[in-house]
Amino acid sequence: DAGVHSKAWYAATCDRKTAEDALYRSNKDGSFLIRKSSGQDSRQPYTLVVFYNRRVYNVPIRFIESTRQYALGREKSGEERFDSVAEIVENHQRTSLVLIDSQNNTKDSTKLEHIVRVS
């Protein structure tokens, strides 16, 4: 279990557009929620949606079958791995999360500060 179901930041039935709209409405850097990923892929079960600098980032959360752990984004050497999605959130409430904008090739970072609830 990823440790998501009882969490305030988990928007179980939320699609990408609903999540993005909710974050744009919040309009606060560091606003975030976690939703189920659009594709039904066991290797990428969730998406972390973060608002920063008037942009919404959809960061895939990967499940690593071999270690039964979770990691953010594309696989890279030396990446941080976590035992649950809740641990990812707790970690990035304390330490900044790097946000990569592949369209403009820019990097930003923010902490997960404001839980956004989808109504």
Side-chain angles (χ1 to χ4, degrees):
D1 178 68
V4 297
H5 295 288
S6 60
K7 303 295 190 206
W9 39 254
Y10 182 56
T13 56
C14 176
D15 62 20
R16 180 175 181 142
K17 177 156 182 14
T18 308
E20 289 180 357
D21 290 348
L23 273 96
Y24 280 120
R25 276 197 306 278
S26 80
N27 201 27
K28 282 200 290 249
D29 285 350
S31 295
F32 76 99
L33 60 80
I34 289 191
R35 63 177 175 80
K36 274 197 162 106
S37 287
S38 312
Q40 291 305 308
D41 185 350
S42 62
R43 289 186 307 270
Q44 188 187 308
Y46 303 104
T47 302
L48 168 61
V49 191
V50 184
F51 182 87
Y52 183 77
N53 202 12
R54 301 188 302 282
R55 298 251 348 254
V56 171
Y57 294 83
N58 284 277
V59 184
I61 298 175
R62 284 181 298 110
F63 179 65
I64 302 149
E65 189 67 52
S66 60
T67 59
R68 321 267 327 139
Q69 288 175 303
Y70 294 88
L72 289 172
R74 287 200 202 97
E75 192 170 343
K76 49 213 162 297
S77 63
E79 68 186 357
E80 285 185 282
R81 293 180 172 189
F82 301 90
D83 292 328
S84 68
V85 173
E87 273 185 34
I88 293 176
V89 171
E90 287 155 18
N91 180 64
H92 289 297
Q93 286 175 319
R94 295 188 305 270
T95 62
S96 287
L97 169 69
V98 176
L99 301 168
I100 297 168
D101 177 346
S102 49
Q103 283 152 340
N104 302 319
N105 212 7
T106 56
K107 269 189 187 177
D108 271 311
S109 67
T110 185
K111 290 181 182 168
L112 302 180
E113 297 186 75
H114 310 285
I115 295 170
V116 172
R117 291 173 185 272
V118 180
S119 42

